[in-house]
Amino acid sequence: MIPLNKPFLPPQHEYQDYMNDIWQRNWLTNHGPLVKEFEEKVSEYLGSEKMVFTANGTTALQIAIKSLDLKGEIITTPYSYVATTSSIVWENCTPVFVDIDETTLNIDPEKIESAITGRTSAIIATHVYGNPCDVESIQKIAVKHNLKVIYDAAHCFGTRYKGEAIYNWGDISIASFHATKPFHTVEGGGLFTHDKELKKKMRYMMNFGHDGPYHFQGVGINGKNSELHAAMGLCNLKYADEIFDKRKKLSEIYDNKLNELPVQRPEVTENTIYNYAYYPVLFESENAMKSAAGYLSSKGIETRNYFKPSLNQLPYVDKAHVPVSESVANRVLCLPLYFDLTEEMIDIVTGSLEKSMLEYQ
Ligand SMILES: *Cc1c(COP(=O)(O)O)cnc(C)c1O
Protein backbone atom coordinates (compact mmCIF):
# COMPACT_ATOMS: atom_id res chain seq x y z
CA MET A 1 0.00 0.00 0.00
CA ILE A 2 1.41 3.38 -1.02
CA PRO A 3 -0.74 6.20 0.39
CA LEU A 4 -1.19 9.52 -1.37
CA ASN A 5 0.12 11.40 1.62
CA LYS A 6 1.69 10.76 4.99
CA PRO A 7 2.13 13.72 7.32
CA PHE A 8 5.68 14.45 8.46
CA LEU A 9 6.21 13.77 12.17
CA PRO A 10 9.21 15.07 14.11
CA PRO A 11 11.03 12.79 16.59
CA GLN A 12 8.50 12.25 19.38
CA HIS A 13 10.86 13.27 22.18
CA GLU A 14 11.27 16.71 20.61
CA TYR A 15 7.53 17.27 20.81
CA GLN A 16 7.54 15.79 24.32
CA ASP A 17 10.06 18.43 25.46
CA TYR A 18 7.61 21.14 24.47
CA MET A 19 4.81 19.27 26.25
CA ASN A 20 6.84 19.18 29.47
CA ASP A 21 7.17 22.97 29.33
CA ILE A 22 3.46 23.37 28.60
CA TRP A 23 2.58 21.15 31.59
CA GLN A 24 4.83 23.31 33.79
CA ARG A 25 3.29 26.57 32.60
CA ASN A 26 -0.28 25.28 32.34
CA TRP A 27 -0.87 27.88 29.62
CA LEU A 28 -2.65 26.06 26.81
CA THR A 29 -4.10 28.71 24.51
CA ASN A 30 -4.93 32.47 24.22
CA HIS A 31 -1.76 33.72 22.54
CA GLY A 32 0.71 31.92 24.77
CA PRO A 33 4.50 31.96 24.51
CA LEU A 34 4.72 29.13 21.95
CA VAL A 35 2.15 30.75 19.64
CA LYS A 36 4.15 33.99 19.82
CA GLU A 37 7.41 32.15 19.19
CA PHE A 38 5.91 30.24 16.26
CA GLU A 39 4.59 33.44 14.64
CA GLU A 40 8.03 35.02 14.94
CA LYS A 41 10.01 32.01 13.76
CA VAL A 42 7.79 31.42 10.73
CA SER A 43 8.26 35.00 9.60
CA GLU A 44 12.02 34.76 10.21
CA TYR A 45 12.19 31.53 8.24
CA LEU A 46 10.21 32.97 5.33
CA GLY A 47 11.50 36.53 5.48
CA SER A 48 7.88 37.66 5.46
CA GLU A 49 5.62 40.05 7.31
CA LYS A 50 4.86 38.75 10.79
CA MET A 51 2.23 36.05 10.52
CA VAL A 52 -0.94 35.74 12.58
CA PHE A 53 -1.43 32.08 13.56
CA THR A 54 -5.03 30.93 13.20
CA ALA A 55 -7.05 27.79 13.92
CA ASN A 56 -6.92 26.73 10.26
CA GLY A 57 -6.65 28.11 6.75
CA THR A 58 -10.40 28.30 6.17
CA THR A 59 -11.01 30.51 9.22
CA ALA A 60 -8.11 32.68 8.03
CA LEU A 61 -9.81 33.09 4.65
CA GLN A 62 -13.13 33.98 6.27
CA ILE A 63 -11.49 36.50 8.59
CA ALA A 64 -9.63 37.97 5.60
CA ILE A 65 -12.89 38.51 3.67
CA LYS A 66 -14.65 39.92 6.75
CA SER A 67 -11.82 42.25 7.75
CA LEU A 68 -11.80 43.87 4.29
CA ASP A 69 -15.58 44.24 4.54
CA LEU A 70 -16.04 42.68 1.10
CA LYS A 71 -19.49 42.78 -0.46
CA GLY A 72 -21.14 41.78 -3.72
CA GLU A 73 -19.11 39.86 -6.28
CA ILE A 74 -15.68 38.37 -5.78
CA ILE A 75 -13.71 37.20 -8.80
CA THR A 76 -12.12 33.85 -8.10
CA THR A 77 -10.59 30.73 -9.57
CA PRO A 78 -12.70 27.62 -10.17
CA TYR A 79 -9.59 25.45 -9.84
CA SER A 80 -8.83 25.13 -6.13
CA TYR A 81 -9.92 23.33 -3.02
CA VAL A 82 -13.58 23.89 -2.07
CA ALA A 83 -12.65 26.18 0.85
CA THR A 84 -11.76 29.01 -1.55
CA THR A 85 -15.32 29.20 -2.90
CA SER A 86 -17.19 28.10 0.19
CA SER A 87 -15.57 30.89 2.25
CA ILE A 88 -16.79 33.48 -0.26
CA VAL A 89 -20.34 32.14 -0.10
CA TRP A 90 -20.14 31.76 3.71
CA GLU A 91 -19.34 35.48 3.95
CA ASN A 92 -22.44 36.29 1.86
CA CYS A 93 -20.53 37.25 -1.27
CA THR A 94 -21.04 35.89 -4.78
CA PRO A 95 -18.17 34.01 -6.43
CA VAL A 96 -17.63 34.95 -10.08
CA PHE A 97 -15.45 32.33 -11.73
CA VAL A 98 -12.76 33.25 -14.22
CA ASP A 99 -11.10 30.43 -16.13
CA ILE A 100 -7.54 29.28 -15.55
CA ASP A 101 -4.40 29.38 -17.64
CA GLU A 102 -3.81 25.94 -19.13
CA THR A 103 -0.09 25.89 -18.40
CA THR A 104 0.09 27.10 -14.77
CA LEU A 105 -3.51 26.14 -13.85
CA ASN A 106 -3.83 29.46 -11.99
CA ILE A 107 -6.49 32.10 -12.71
CA ASP A 108 -5.89 33.66 -16.16
CA PRO A 109 -5.37 37.42 -15.62
CA GLU A 110 -6.33 38.14 -19.24
CA LYS A 111 -9.85 36.95 -18.52
CA ILE A 112 -10.33 38.91 -15.28
CA GLU A 113 -11.20 42.38 -16.59
CA SER A 114 -14.19 41.28 -18.65
CA ALA A 115 -15.68 39.70 -15.50
CA ILE A 116 -15.50 42.92 -13.45
CA THR A 117 -18.84 44.66 -12.84
CA GLY A 118 -20.01 47.54 -10.65
CA ARG A 119 -20.55 45.00 -7.86
CA THR A 120 -17.05 43.51 -7.88
CA SER A 121 -15.18 44.14 -4.63
CA ALA A 122 -12.18 41.80 -4.78
CA ILE A 123 -10.16 39.07 -6.44
CA ILE A 124 -9.47 35.88 -4.48
CA ALA A 125 -6.94 33.75 -6.32
CA THR A 126 -5.25 30.50 -5.37
CA HIS A 127 -1.58 29.79 -6.06
CA VAL A 128 -2.57 26.28 -6.99
CA TYR A 129 -0.17 23.46 -6.00
CA GLY A 130 2.07 26.16 -4.47
CA ASN A 131 2.83 27.68 -7.90
CA PRO A 132 2.60 31.51 -7.91
CA CYS A 133 -0.21 33.27 -9.82
CA ASP A 134 0.71 36.07 -12.21
CA VAL A 135 0.75 38.39 -9.20
CA GLU A 136 1.98 41.45 -11.11
CA SER A 137 -0.87 41.39 -13.64
CA ILE A 138 -3.42 40.77 -10.90
CA GLN A 139 -2.00 43.68 -8.91
CA LYS A 140 -2.29 46.01 -11.94
CA ILE A 141 -5.91 45.06 -12.54
CA ALA A 142 -6.73 45.48 -8.86
CA VAL A 143 -5.20 48.96 -8.70
CA LYS A 144 -6.92 50.04 -11.92
CA HIS A 145 -10.36 48.92 -10.74
CA ASN A 146 -9.89 49.62 -7.04
CA LEU A 147 -10.31 45.99 -5.97
CA LYS A 148 -8.87 44.17 -2.97
CA VAL A 149 -6.75 41.07 -3.51
CA ILE A 150 -6.66 38.04 -1.25
CA TYR A 151 -4.42 35.10 -2.07
CA ASP A 152 -5.42 31.65 -0.98
CA ALA A 153 -1.81 30.62 -0.47
CA ALA A 154 -2.77 27.45 1.42
CA HIS A 155 -0.31 25.39 -0.66
CA CYS A 156 2.53 27.87 -0.54
CA PHE A 157 4.66 27.47 2.55
CA GLY A 158 8.24 27.64 1.29
CA THR A 159 7.42 29.03 -2.17
CA ARG A 160 9.42 32.12 -3.10
CA TYR A 161 8.79 34.47 -6.00
CA LYS A 162 11.54 36.85 -7.13
CA GLY A 163 13.40 36.09 -3.94
CA GLU A 164 10.51 36.88 -1.60
CA ALA A 165 7.96 34.81 0.30
CA ILE A 166 4.89 34.57 -1.93
CA TYR A 167 2.79 35.48 1.13
CA ASN A 168 4.01 39.05 0.77
CA TRP A 169 1.65 39.60 -2.18
CA GLY A 170 -1.95 40.81 -2.05
CA ASP A 171 -3.77 42.80 0.61
CA ILE A 172 -3.92 39.56 2.57
CA SER A 173 -2.47 36.10 1.98
CA ILE A 174 -3.58 33.06 3.89
CA ALA A 175 -1.64 29.91 4.70
CA SER A 176 -2.80 26.47 5.78
CA PHE A 177 -0.85 24.23 8.11
CA HIS A 178 -3.23 21.30 7.87
CA ALA A 179 -1.67 17.86 8.28
CA THR A 180 -1.98 17.16 4.53
CA LYS A 181 0.14 20.19 3.64
CA PRO A 182 3.95 19.84 3.27
CA PHE A 183 4.55 21.91 6.41
CA HIS A 184 1.94 21.45 9.12
CA THR A 185 0.86 22.11 12.71
CA VAL A 186 -1.76 19.27 12.63
CA GLU A 187 -4.47 21.93 12.15
CA GLY A 188 -3.55 25.53 11.62
CA GLY A 189 -3.49 28.52 9.33
CA GLY A 190 -1.89 31.90 8.92
CA LEU A 191 -2.74 35.46 7.91
CA PHE A 192 -0.19 37.75 6.27
CA THR A 193 -0.64 41.44 5.50
CA HIS A 194 1.57 44.53 5.17
CA ASP A 195 -1.23 46.70 6.57
CA LYS A 196 -0.66 47.16 10.31
CA GLU A 197 -4.20 48.45 11.02
CA LEU A 198 -5.71 45.56 9.12
CA LYS A 199 -3.58 43.10 11.04
CA LYS A 200 -4.75 44.62 14.32
CA LYS A 201 -8.36 44.33 13.18
CA MET A 202 -7.86 40.67 12.25
CA ARG A 203 -6.27 39.97 15.64
CA TYR A 204 -9.39 41.39 17.33
CA MET A 205 -11.67 39.49 14.98
CA MET A 206 -10.06 36.13 15.67
CA ASN A 207 -10.43 36.64 19.43
CA PHE A 208 -14.18 37.41 19.69
CA GLY A 209 -13.46 41.12 19.17
CA HIS A 210 -12.06 41.31 22.73
CA ASP A 211 -10.35 44.59 23.58
CA GLY A 212 -9.70 43.82 27.23
CA PRO A 213 -11.98 41.54 29.26
CA TYR A 214 -15.21 43.58 29.04
CA HIS A 215 -14.83 45.77 25.99
CA PHE A 216 -15.33 44.70 22.38
CA GLN A 217 -13.78 46.37 19.39
CA GLY A 218 -16.22 44.85 16.92
CA VAL A 219 -17.80 41.56 15.95
CA GLY A 220 -15.50 38.57 16.26
CA ILE A 221 -15.14 34.83 16.09
CA ASN A 222 -12.86 32.26 17.69
CA GLY A 223 -10.04 31.76 15.20
CA LYS A 224 -7.21 31.24 17.68
CA ASN A 225 -4.79 28.36 17.70
CA SER A 226 -3.23 26.59 20.69
CA GLU A 227 0.13 26.08 22.36
CA LEU A 228 0.05 22.38 21.42
CA HIS A 229 -0.34 23.17 17.73
CA ALA A 230 2.35 25.85 17.91
CA ALA A 231 4.64 23.25 19.50
CA MET A 232 4.15 20.94 16.51
CA GLY A 233 4.91 23.86 14.21
CA LEU A 234 8.09 24.72 16.11
CA CYS A 235 9.24 21.10 15.94
CA ASN A 236 8.49 20.81 12.23
CA LEU A 237 10.07 24.15 11.37
CA LYS A 238 13.48 22.70 12.25
CA TYR A 239 12.95 20.14 9.50
CA ALA A 240 11.38 22.46 6.93
CA ASP A 241 14.50 22.73 4.72
CA GLU A 242 14.94 18.99 4.83
CA ILE A 243 11.28 18.45 3.94
CA PHE A 244 11.43 20.75 0.92
CA ASP A 245 14.77 19.33 -0.29
CA LYS A 246 13.34 15.85 -0.12
CA ARG A 247 10.16 16.80 -1.99
CA LYS A 248 12.25 18.41 -4.72
CA LYS A 249 14.40 15.31 -5.06
CA LEU A 250 11.38 12.98 -5.18
CA SER A 251 9.59 15.19 -7.71
CA GLU A 252 12.64 15.16 -9.96
CA ILE A 253 12.77 11.37 -9.78
CA TYR A 254 9.13 11.32 -10.88
CA ASP A 255 9.90 13.78 -13.70
CA ASN A 256 12.67 11.55 -15.04
CA LYS A 257 10.64 8.39 -14.87
CA LEU A 258 7.53 9.92 -16.44
CA ASN A 259 9.43 11.54 -19.25
CA GLU A 260 8.31 9.06 -21.87
CA LEU A 261 4.66 8.88 -20.89
CA PRO A 262 1.92 10.99 -22.49
CA VAL A 263 1.13 12.96 -19.36
CA GLN A 264 1.35 16.73 -18.99
CA ARG A 265 2.72 18.59 -15.97
CA PRO A 266 1.71 22.11 -14.91
CA GLU A 267 4.45 24.66 -15.59
CA VAL A 268 6.11 26.36 -12.66
CA THR A 269 5.94 30.16 -12.95
CA GLU A 270 9.23 31.88 -13.85
CA ASN A 271 11.41 33.34 -11.07
CA THR A 272 9.98 30.88 -8.56
CA ILE A 273 11.61 28.76 -5.92
CA TYR A 274 8.98 26.08 -5.84
CA ASN A 275 7.93 24.08 -2.76
CA TYR A 276 6.83 20.89 -4.57
CA ALA A 277 3.56 20.85 -2.65
CA TYR A 278 1.89 18.23 -4.88
CA TYR A 279 2.72 16.00 -7.82
CA PRO A 280 -0.16 16.43 -10.30
CA VAL A 281 -0.21 14.88 -13.77
CA LEU A 282 -2.74 15.59 -16.51
CA PHE A 283 -3.94 12.82 -18.81
CA GLU A 284 -5.15 13.22 -22.36
CA SER A 285 -8.74 12.40 -21.44
CA GLU A 286 -10.98 11.69 -18.48
CA ASN A 287 -11.12 8.03 -19.51
CA ALA A 288 -7.33 7.76 -19.61
CA MET A 289 -7.17 9.28 -16.12
CA LYS A 290 -9.86 6.93 -14.77
CA SER A 291 -8.24 3.89 -16.24
CA ALA A 292 -4.85 4.83 -14.73
CA ALA A 293 -6.37 5.65 -11.33
CA GLY A 294 -8.26 2.34 -11.32
CA TYR A 295 -5.15 0.36 -12.19
CA LEU A 296 -3.00 2.12 -9.57
CA SER A 297 -5.70 1.54 -6.98
CA SER A 298 -5.75 -2.21 -7.82
CA LYS A 299 -1.99 -2.20 -7.05
CA GLY A 300 -2.56 -0.53 -3.67
CA ILE A 301 -1.43 2.91 -4.84
CA GLU A 302 -3.60 5.77 -3.65
CA THR A 303 -4.14 8.79 -5.91
CA ARG A 304 -6.59 11.66 -5.84
CA ASN A 305 -8.30 14.01 -8.28
CA TYR A 306 -7.03 17.20 -6.69
CA PHE A 307 -8.93 19.40 -7.61
CA LYS A 308 -12.31 18.05 -8.58
CA PRO A 309 -15.00 19.19 -9.12
CA SER A 310 -14.24 22.44 -10.88
CA LEU A 311 -15.75 24.77 -8.25
CA ASN A 312 -18.29 26.34 -10.64
CA GLN A 313 -20.00 22.93 -10.45
CA LEU A 314 -20.71 23.19 -6.72
CA PRO A 315 -24.44 22.94 -6.03
CA TYR A 316 -24.61 26.36 -4.36
CA VAL A 317 -23.05 28.65 -6.99
CA ASP A 318 -24.22 30.17 -10.27
CA LYS A 319 -23.22 28.52 -13.52
CA ALA A 320 -20.06 29.70 -15.26
CA HIS A 321 -18.28 29.10 -18.54
CA VAL A 322 -14.81 27.85 -17.56
CA PRO A 323 -13.96 25.03 -19.98
CA VAL A 324 -10.24 24.86 -19.15
CA SER A 325 -10.87 24.36 -15.44
CA GLU A 326 -13.56 21.73 -16.08
CA SER A 327 -11.34 19.85 -18.50
CA VAL A 328 -8.33 19.88 -16.16
CA ALA A 329 -10.43 18.82 -13.16
CA ASN A 330 -11.60 15.78 -15.14
CA ARG A 331 -8.11 14.74 -16.27
CA VAL A 332 -5.90 15.41 -13.26
CA LEU A 333 -4.44 12.93 -10.83
CA CYS A 334 -2.12 13.67 -7.92
CA LEU A 335 0.47 10.97 -7.30
CA PRO A 336 1.87 10.03 -3.87
CA LEU A 337 4.37 12.57 -2.55
CA TYR A 338 5.57 12.77 1.06
CA PHE A 339 8.74 12.83 3.13
CA ASP A 340 8.93 9.07 3.72
CA LEU A 341 8.35 8.14 0.08
CA THR A 342 11.31 6.26 -1.40
CA GLU A 343 12.73 5.96 -4.89
CA GLU A 344 11.70 2.28 -4.88
CA MET A 345 8.12 3.29 -4.16
CA ILE A 346 8.21 5.84 -6.98
CA ASP A 347 9.44 3.03 -9.24
CA ILE A 348 6.37 1.02 -8.33
CA VAL A 349 4.05 3.99 -8.97
CA THR A 350 5.57 4.98 -12.30
CA GLY A 351 5.99 1.34 -13.41
CA SER A 352 2.31 0.71 -12.72
CA LEU A 353 1.34 3.92 -14.47
CA GLU A 354 3.33 2.93 -17.53
CA LYS A 355 1.79 -0.52 -17.56
CA SER A 356 -1.74 0.84 -17.26
CA MET A 357 -1.17 3.37 -20.03
CA LEU A 358 0.22 0.77 -22.43
CA GLU A 359 -2.82 -1.37 -21.77
CA TYR A 360 -5.13 1.57 -22.28
CA GLN A 361 -3.67 2.40 -25.70
C1 LIG B 1 -6.13 23.11 2.54
C2 LIG B 1 -6.73 24.25 1.79
C3 LIG B 1 -7.53 25.22 2.42
C4 LIG B 1 -8.05 25.05 3.81
O1 LIG B 1 -7.11 25.00 4.78
P1 LIG B 1 -7.48 24.33 6.18
O2 LIG B 1 -6.29 24.66 7.01
O3 LIG B 1 -7.63 22.87 5.94
O4 LIG B 1 -8.72 24.97 6.67
C5 LIG B 1 -7.94 26.32 1.70
N1 LIG B 1 -7.62 26.48 0.41
C6 LIG B 1 -6.87 25.57 -0.24
C7 LIG B 1 -6.53 25.81 -1.67
C8 LIG B 1 -6.43 24.41 0.42
O5 LIG B 1 -5.75 23.48 -0.23
Side-chain angles (χ1 to χ4, degrees):
M1 169 76 194
I2 302 178
L4 175 70
N5 197 350
K6 217 170 127 182
F8 176 85
L9 282 172
Q12 201 176 344
H13 68 92
E14 293 184 13
Y15 190 68
Q16 197 55 53
D17 288 345
Y18 280 107
M19 291 307 103
N20 293 340
D21 292 347
I22 290 175
W23 255 249
Q24 287 295 318
R25 271 193 299 273
N26 205 336
W27 186 350
L28 304 183
T29 187
N30 288 354
H31 212 56
L34 295 181
V35 166
K36 284 193 188 111
E37 187 182 339
F38 181 59
E39 289 181 342
E40 276 159 21
K41 290 231 166 110
V42 161
S43 304
E44 253 171 54
Y45 177 80
L46 297 169
S48 68
E49 281 291 316
K50 185 143 153 243
M51 181 187 75
V52 176
F53 187 35
T54 62
N56 54 61
T58 307
T59 308
L61 207 45
Q62 289 164 1
I63 291 171
I65 295 169
K66 197 106 177 161
S67 70
L68 292 170
D69 204 18
L70 300 182
K71 300 265 178 341
E73 294 170 4
I74 296 179
I75 289 178
T76 189
T77 176
Y79 194 68
S80 182
Y81 183 58
V82 67
T84 316
T85 296
S86 63
S87 299
I88 294 171
V89 175
W90 193 265
E91 294 303 328
N92 290 317
C93 295
T94 306
V96 174
F97 296 101
V98 165
D99 211 353
I100 56 172
D101 176 277
E102 55 195 351
T103 58
T104 63
L105 311 185
N106 285 323
I107 194 166
D108 185 347
E110 287 185 9
K111 299 193 178 123
I112 291 179
E113 276 197 290
S114 62
I116 295 174
T117 72
R119 285 169 41 81
T120 309
S121 60
I123 301 168
I124 300 187
T126 301
H127 305 297
V128 79
Y129 305 125
N131 186 29
C133 290
D134 181 349
V135 287
E136 276 113 348
S137 300
I138 292 172
Q139 179 74 15
K140 268 192 211 130
I141 296 166
V143 168
K144 183 171 161 199
H145 296 273
N146 196 21
L147 304 176
K148 300 290 184 189
V149 178
I150 297 174
Y151 283 110
D152 182 338
H155 304 160
C156 290
F157 195 90
T159 291
R160 303 181 75 74
Y161 177 67
K162 294 193 171 167
E164 258 189 74
I166 191 69
Y167 297 127
N168 287 353
W169 286 84
D171 292 282
I172 303 173
S173 272
I174 73 100
S176 167
F177 305 124
H178 185 256
T180 54
K181 308 296 200 272
F183 173 81
H184 76 90
T185 61
V186 184
E187 291 276 1
L191 285 159
F192 294 83
T193 179
H194 293 292
D195 183 333
K196 296 225 155 40
E197 283 307 305
L198 189 59
K199 189 184 287 181
K200 231 198 247 168
K201 186 174 177 187
M202 293 195 293
R203 284 222 189 258
Y204 281 122
M205 277 188 160
M206 64 182 274
N207 188 29
F208 308 97
H210 266 295
D211 183 9
Y214 310 114
H215 183 255
F216 294 90
Q217 188 263 356
V219 69
I221 195 173
N222 182 0
K224 302 186 301 308
N225 212 327
S226 81
E227 291 290 282
L228 285 83
H229 292 83
M232 181 60 90
L234 287 165
C235 287
N236 285 346
L237 200 54
K238 279 192 251 165
Y239 296 92
D241 283 341
E242 218 179 301
I243 291 170
F244 292 117
D245 285 350
K246 184 74 174 284
R247 298 182 81 91
K248 177 170 197 275
K249 194 179 131 227
L250 295 171
S251 299
E252 287 170 355
I253 294 173
Y254 264 125
D255 289 346
N256 283 329
K257 293 190 194 290
L258 292 179
N259 225 343
E260 306 286 300
L261 291 186
V263 288
Q264 184 201 333
R265 294 264 301 135
E267 264 172 41
V268 175
T269 303
E270 271 178 50
N271 300 310
T272 297
I273 296 176
Y274 185 48
N275 70 350
Y276 301 89
Y278 294 81
Y279 197 90
V281 291
L282 299 180
F283 292 80
E284 283 168 344
S285 66
E286 183 173 8
N287 280 339
M289 180 281 292
K290 279 189 172 155
S291 134
Y295 187 79
L296 292 178
S297 168
S298 77
K299 298 288 166 198
I301 301 164
E302 192 187 18
T303 58
R304 185 141 170 201
N305 305 110
Y306 278 139
F307 290 93
K308 189 184 169 139
S310 180
L311 298 172
N312 57 295
Q313 293 170 333
L314 288 169
Y316 51 81
V317 300
D318 294 339
K319 297 215 171 345
H321 181 66
V322 285
V324 181
S325 175
E326 287 179 6
S327 163
V328 169
N330 285 333
R331 294 183 291 119
V332 70
L333 207 58
C334 279
L335 303 181
L337 182 61
Y338 47 89
F339 189 78
D340 287 341
L341 191 71
T342 62
E343 181 160 4
E344 291 68 36
M345 288 151 107
I346 294 182
D347 264 334
I348 297 172
V349 176
T350 55
S352 305
L353 199 55
E354 191 170 357
K355 193 140 182 279
S356 80
M357 292 185 87
L358 287 175
E359 273 168 25
Y360 179 75
Q361 282 169 347

